Amino acid sequence: MFDKKELDEMLQGFVRTAVNSTVTKLPVLEESYVHEAKPFKQVTEFVSQKAKTAHMDLYKGYIESLNKISSELDTAERGEVNSRYSEYRNLKIGEIFNLNATWLHELYFSNCFDPHSEIVMDSMPYMRLERDFGTFEDWQRDFMACALSAQNGWVVTGYHSFLRKYVNTFVDGHSSHVMMGFYPLIVVDMWEHAYFRDYLTDKKSYLISQMREFNWGVIEERFKKAESIAQVVK
Ligand SMILES: [Fe+2]
């Protein structure tokens, strides 16, 4: 690989270039970050209390791992790395897995489990999904197809900043087949731990129960945010 002296010399070269350029100096960012678990009301009757409790425990476990990895990345050896096996490579893989797991669970817990929410035809989510999928029912059909195509993973509707439209996709695990340039908006957990206790292998009934209780108020706020971000990221 390269020794520390060699790396320092290379980096100093970069610093000189940056200082001579007109780019504004940015504040130094701390590598390490600490995330805290949030409370979520799972008021649904479609999921048992045991499954809800177990799911929250899993979510907290991902955060615990994420914080540990974040702390270890702070001091990880960056000189002796390679693409086959190194501590740094393993930490970065673990970071993606646990960061995605944390964020996806938070999106899922807050966009599901609202038995009183209904979508209205002049709302932003309804109009955008109808525009990009043909009809709202076509979006639902495609969302279900993605969900049932996922292995232990996720189904997600999101805004794609390159395509500039809303699309459905699935993620296997927490970090396989992740679409780049994609801002997640509507999320359902398709891991066995989410449905097996209450639905056994009937993933479809579980999925329909989740879709019946989407919190469209939460989802609409995400749609607005996604499009405003897309204005900046072109
Ligand atoms: Fe989960």
Side-chain angles (χ1 to χ4, degrees):
M1 195 42 61
F2 39 77
D3 61 30
K4 189 171 185 310
K5 185 168 174 289
E6 192 182 359
L7 180 65
D8 287 347
E9 283 172 3
M10 285 165 60
L11 292 176
Q12 277 169 14
F14 284 126
V15 171
R16 274 199 297 278
T17 306
V19 168
N20 292 335
S21 77
T22 55
V23 176
T24 309
K25 247 186 153 181
L26 296 172
V28 175
L29 296 175
E30 294 286 339
E31 176 93 46
S32 177
Y33 47 83
V34 177
H35 191 73
E36 287 183 17
K38 297 174 184 167
F40 292 98
K41 290 180 191 165
Q42 299 181 66
V43 293
T44 181
E45 293 182 359
F46 289 125
V47 180
S48 66
Q49 187 54 49
K50 280 188 175 177
K52 290 175 189 172
T53 305
H55 213 162
M56 284 304 290
D57 288 344
L58 280 168
Y59 159 65
K60 288 172 187 169
Y62 290 124
I63 294 175
E64 197 177 312
S65 299
L66 178 62
N67 289 339
K68 187 168 186 292
I69 289 167
S70 167
S71 162
E72 288 180 16
L73 273 170
D74 225 7
T75 54
E77 172 58 53
R78 283 161 167 77
E80 296 300 319
V81 296
N82 61 65
S83 60
R84 302 177 306 278
Y85 173 80
S86 70
E87 181 198 6
Y88 183 76
R89 177 180 158 79
N90 284 348
L91 285 170
K92 293 302 284 183
I93 291 171
E95 180 187 36
I96 297 168
F97 186 83
N98 288 285
L99 184 58
N100 285 1
T102 300
W103 191 24
L104 287 166
H105 273 106
E106 292 189 358
L107 290 167
Y108 164 65
F109 288 141
S110 56
N111 76 202
C112 283
F113 315 130
D114 184 341
H116 307 297
S117 183
E118 289 180 352
I119 190 163
V120 290
M121 293 177 75
D122 61 352
S123 67
M124 185 176 177
Y126 190 98
M127 291 189 293
R128 294 293 192 271
L129 295 173
E130 187 177 56
R131 181 193 70 190
D132 290 348
F133 287 86
T135 66
F136 185 75
E137 290 69 30
D138 285 334
W139 165 73
Q140 287 180 306
R141 270 191 285 277
D142 191 63
F143 188 81
M144 291 182 72
C146 276
L148 299 175
S149 300
Q151 296 173 354
N152 266 332
W154 299 86
V155 56
V156 188
T157 296
Y159 187 76
H160 201 289
S161 57
F162 180 71
L163 297 173
R164 306 191 76 74
K165 63 183 282 194
Y166 293 86
V167 296
N168 291 327
T169 189
F170 62 82
V171 176
D172 286 336
H174 297 311
S175 49
S176 292
H177 313 130
V178 177
M179 195 179 268
M180 300 288 285
F182 179 82
Y183 193 88
L185 302 164
I186 307 174
V187 175
V188 175
D189 193 330
M190 295 305 298
W191 279 68
E192 281 185 348
H193 66 240
Y195 63 83
F196 196 80
R197 182 184 287 273
D198 300 322
Y199 294 86
L200 296 176
T201 57
D202 187 2
K203 290 168 73 169
K204 195 170 180 181
S205 293
Y206 155 77
L207 175 63
I208 290 168
S209 76
Q210 304 302 287
M211 293 173 73
R212 281 176 61 181
E213 294 189 339
F214 278 147
N215 185 325
W216 288 104
V218 165
I219 291 167
E220 180 153 18
E221 287 308 308
R222 290 180 189 165
F223 270 63
K224 290 176 185 167
K225 198 170 157 188
E227 289 202 15
S228 65
I229 291 170
Q231 302 280 333
V232 180
V233 185
K234 287 185 179 175

